[in-house]
Amino acid sequence: MSRAVSSASNWFRRILCPGSEQAELGAPNYGDTAQSNYGTRLHDFDASGDESEVVSEQEVVEINQELRETYLSSELLRLGIPESAKRKTVVEQRYVIRDEAGNPLIGIDGKPFSGQPDLLIYFPEYKILFIFDSKFGRISVEGAESNKQLMVYAIMSADEFGDFEADRVYVAITQPLANPNFHAAYYERADIAAAKTEMLAHWRKIKLPENQVRTPSRKACFYCNAGGYCREALAIAVAPAWLTPTTMTVRELEEKHDEIKQAEAGIVKYYAHLKYIAEFFPHLLKNLTLQKGQRMRSIPEGKLSD
């Protein structure tokens, strides 16, 4: 079953680029990348408790678990909650966002807007809930205090987490490969109600046809599934003119890291899209020429002449 077009993980993109939902609808499945497979494996090991046979992977999982446990222990101590206090734990369960009437929000593809926190830990006696999300990429994500994915999880906690009736919800991110600093924030009940009101208002706003415009930016486009064919996204993904690594210092390259990665991601998506078209829709490339001066011929004709 394919994923929903809109979910907690890409809500930030819907805010930054309202037209991205329409752009991503029906996006081809280019297949998993080595990086996405790597992240999936680490998430699976982290959730199951199984150990990876690859030492380097297991080390990352253990660092991630240590970051989470260290934060939780320190926060429980600060709150005066003993480690032995009764707790309920939920691992990788999917939830939906609901409107004021209790109906799930439905995306452009007819599927409910949903999200899947990596780990929930609830202390019923104290009405405290911790929501953890792990990121195994090498690019640092936005901090917990302004992270839209974590905000969505906090909103879900009020409607969807069964008997997890919390007065305060802590949201936290672990990024063992990108950022050793632990990102955490918390929402009171009033904060969650305000965040939900804001989210529903924005959801309804971007559903209006006149608001479904594409507003590309490096942040909005980086992981967008439409990056291989969205003209607006490709326009900002072109390698910057200043990019001359042989004449730049290491510090200058580090400062330009995000822009370099954006250009790289755009190129990778563009070529993935071209390969997809060539494999499944070669007739669309009927006027493709292999080099200047050659007569025009289709991909099948080109293969026959090889």
Side-chain angles (χ1 to χ4, degrees):
M1 182 178 177
S2 60
R3 291 185 176 183
V5 170
S6 287
S7 64
S9 61
N10 60 33
W11 176 237
F12 79 96
R13 184 155 57 249
R14 303 296 176 252
I15 295 173
L16 294 173
C17 180
S20 61
E21 185 182 43
Q22 181 69 51
E24 290 189 271
L25 179 65
N29 180 7
Y30 300 124
D32 295 328
T33 64
Q35 184 59 42
S36 65
N37 284 330
Y38 175 79
T40 298
R41 287 199 305 276
L42 267 59
H43 269 103
D44 290 344
F45 288 127
D46 187 46
S48 66
D50 296 335
E51 293 190 4
S52 171
E53 295 180 357
V54 181
V55 175
S56 60
E57 290 185 353
Q58 185 58 30
E59 288 176 345
V60 174
V61 172
E62 290 175 359
I63 291 172
N64 189 64
Q65 293 170 342
E66 183 179 354
L67 284 169
R68 188 166 56 221
E69 290 165 5
T70 299
Y71 163 73
L72 182 61
S73 294
S74 64
E75 201 61 39
L76 291 180
L77 180 63
R78 191 183 68 79
L79 293 169
I81 301 176
E83 290 275 358
S84 59
K86 181 181 178 181
R87 66 178 71 182
K88 296 182 180 181
T89 302
V90 177
V91 178
E92 292 193 339
Q93 184 165 321
R94 187 161 293 278
Y95 302 94
V96 301
I97 283 284
R98 299 182 182 276
D99 62 19
E100 300 89 343
N103 301 311
L105 298 189
I106 303 299
I108 195 171
D109 55 349
K111 296 178 181 179
F113 184 108
S114 63
Q116 182 174 295
D118 291 328
L119 178 64
L120 306 178
I121 302 178
Y122 178 58
F123 294 86
E125 183 180 349
Y126 300 89
K127 292 188 175 182
I128 295 292
L129 172 65
F130 290 88
I131 302 176
F132 292 98
D133 191 53
S134 299
K135 303 294 185 186
F136 292 108
R138 296 183 181 277
I139 298 177
S140 185
V141 301
E142 193 159 358
E145 67 283 349
S146 55
N147 189 287
K148 299 304 181 184
Q149 182 175 2
L150 294 185
M151 182 196 77
V152 170
Y153 291 160
I155 294 171
M156 288 175 172
S157 72
D159 299 328
E160 286 291 296
F161 292 180
D163 59 352
F164 288 11
E165 185 181 351
D167 290 332
R168 178 178 289 182
V169 177
Y170 287 82
V171 292
I173 303 173
T174 49
Q175 302 178 83
L177 293 175
N179 194 331
N181 298 320
F182 201 90
H183 291 281
Y186 68 82
Y187 290 79
E188 305 282 7
R189 285 195 177 192
D191 300 324
I192 293 174
K196 180 173 182 176
T197 298
E198 176 185 325
M199 179 184 177
L200 291 179
H202 199 87
W203 174 264
R204 288 164 181 145
K205 179 180 178 181
I206 65 174
K207 290 299 176 180
L208 298 175
E210 61 268 27
N211 293 329
Q212 293 176 2
V213 295
R214 294 201 287 266
T215 52
S217 65
R218 290 188 172 86
K219 184 177 178 181
C221 300
F222 197 84
Y223 293 109
C224 183
N225 290 327
Y229 51 84
C230 173
R231 291 181 181 275
E232 291 84 354
L234 290 171
I236 67 166
V238 176
W242 48 257
L243 182 53
T244 52
T246 56
T247 61
M248 297 179 73
T249 66
V250 172
R251 181 175 294 278
E252 287 173 331
L253 282 172
E254 288 177 345
E255 290 174 350
K256 299 295 186 180
H257 176 269
D258 288 347
E259 292 179 62
I260 295 171
K261 294 299 290 184
Q262 177 68 44
E264 180 185 58
I267 293 169
V268 169
K269 289 177 183 177
Y270 179 68
Y271 278 109
H273 187 61
L274 288 182
K275 287 174 65 178
Y276 177 86
I277 293 176
E279 182 174 358
F280 296 102
F281 306 98
H283 60 283
L284 297 179
L285 300 178
K286 201 165 184 65
N287 292 330
L288 180 68
T289 55
L290 301 182
Q291 63 182 12
K292 187 175 181 179
Q294 283 190 324
R295 72 179 183 86
M296 292 186 292
R297 56 186 182 179
S298 68
I299 290 294
E301 289 172 339
K303 287 183 177 179
L304 289 173
S305 65
D306 288 340

